[in-house]
Amino acid sequence: MSGVGVQDWTWTIEAPAGWLVVPSTVTEPAETVGAWQGEAVELLLTSFLPQDSDGGAQPDAGHVELVRDSLTQTVASLVAFADEAATEGARAIAGLGLLDRGPVPVLVTVGMMDPAESDDALMTVLGATGGNPVNPPSIEYPELPDGDGIQVTRVDIDEAGGAWVTVAVGRRTEHPEAVVDTALIWRSQDLVLVPTILETLVGLLSAVKIIRSEP
C-alpha cells in the first residue's frame, strides 16, 4: 500500500506476514475503510477461535458473536488510532500474534529535509532527548540490512503514576537531493511486550521502502 507522498518522494510498507496496514478515514474513502474493517475482523476471528481439524466440537454461535463483537470494537479502535496518526508522512500499522495479544498498533512516520539542513530531528522524534533524568532513554544502534539504525527505549510516568514505555526504531537515509528519516514508534503500558516489540520493529523497519517519485 502506498504511503503518503513526501514532496518528490513516495514510501510504501511491504508489510511482512502478521502485520496489518490500517486505513484512515482521513485519507481513504469510507467504503474502503468499511471493507477493510470487515476483512480484519474475520481475519482476527479465525486466529482467536480454536481450530479443530478433526471435526470435533466447534464454538457455539453465541460465543462466536461475543468474540466478533469484541474484535469489531478492537478494529474500530485501530482505525481511530490511524485517524489520529493520519498527518502527512504518517501511517498506522498493527502487529498480530505478539504474545497472544490483540492487534498491537505501531505508528510509522517518514519525513524529508534538505541535506543542507540536516539536524537531530530523528533523535527527537524517536524520544532520545528529554525523558526522566533518573531513568534516561536507552539508545542503541542496530545493524540493518539496508544501513545503520537507531533504537530508543524510554519509560515515562504519567500524572496518575502509571509507567508508559516507548520503543522507537529509526533510520536516516541520505540521498543527493534529500535526507529521509523513517521512524516506527510503539507506546504502551504493557511492559512485558518490550523485548518482542524491539525485535519486530527492527525487522519491520526494512519493510518501509522509500523511492524517488517520477518527475
Side-chain angles (χ1 to χ4, degrees), residues 8 28 32 58 62 67 72-73 79 92 117 125-126 134 138 156 173 185 199 208 211:
D8 295 333
E28 306 286 348
T32 299
Q58 298 296 312
V67 175
T72 298
Q73 296 176 16
V79 173
E117 301 175 358
V125 169
L126 296 177
V134 178
S138 170
D156 296 288
T173 308
I185 303 171
E199 181 179 350
V208 182
I211 61 173

Side-chain angles (χ1 to χ4, degrees), residues 19-207:
W19 290 90
L20 294 175
V21 180
V22 186
S24 166
T25 62
V26 177
T27 58
E28 306 286 348
E31 57 270 21
T32 299
V33 177
W36 180 90
Q37 286 181 287
E39 294 171 359
V41 168
E42 294 307 312
L43 172 64
L44 293 171
L45 188 64
T46 300
S47 66
F48 272 81
L49 292 178
Q51 304 296 308
D52 191 339
S53 59
D54 297 328
Q58 298 296 312
D60 65 79
H63 175 68
V64 171
E65 287 309 307
L66 284 175
V67 175
R68 179 179 279 112
D69 289 344
S70 176
L71 293 176
T72 298
Q73 296 176 16
T74 297
V75 170
S77 296
L78 285 176
V79 173
F81 176 76
D83 285 346
E84 294 177 4
T87 56
E88 184 177 1
R91 194 96 206 192
I93 63 174
L96 308 178
L98 301 179
L99 296 182
D100 296 324
R101 302 303 198 274
V104 178
V106 173
L107 176 63
V108 180
T109 66
V110 176
M112 188 187 75
M113 69 186 73
D114 188 292
E117 301 175 358
S118 181
D119 55 20
D120 62 353
L122 181 59
M123 298 293 281
T124 301
V125 169
L126 296 177
T129 59
N132 187 337
V134 178
N135 185 22
S138 170
I139 304 173
E140 298 181 28
Y141 299 89
E143 290 289 335
L144 303 173
D146 49 357
D148 294 331
I150 303 172
Q151 175 180 297
V152 179
T153 305
R154 61 183 284 173
V155 176
D156 296 288
I157 306 300
D158 62 22
E159 294 181 356
W164 288 83
V165 63
T166 301
V167 175
V169 177
R171 173 187 63 201
R172 169 161 288 184
T173 308
E174 297 186 2
H175 303 274
E177 312 94 333
V179 173
V180 183
D181 290 341
T182 305
L184 278 60
I185 303 171
W186 170 80
R187 187 169 187 262
S188 176
Q189 289 187 299
D190 193 350
L191 305 184
V192 176
L193 264 182
V194 172
T196 301
I197 286 292
L198 282 170
E199 181 179 350
T200 55
L201 291 192
V202 170
L204 183 64
L205 187 58
S206 298

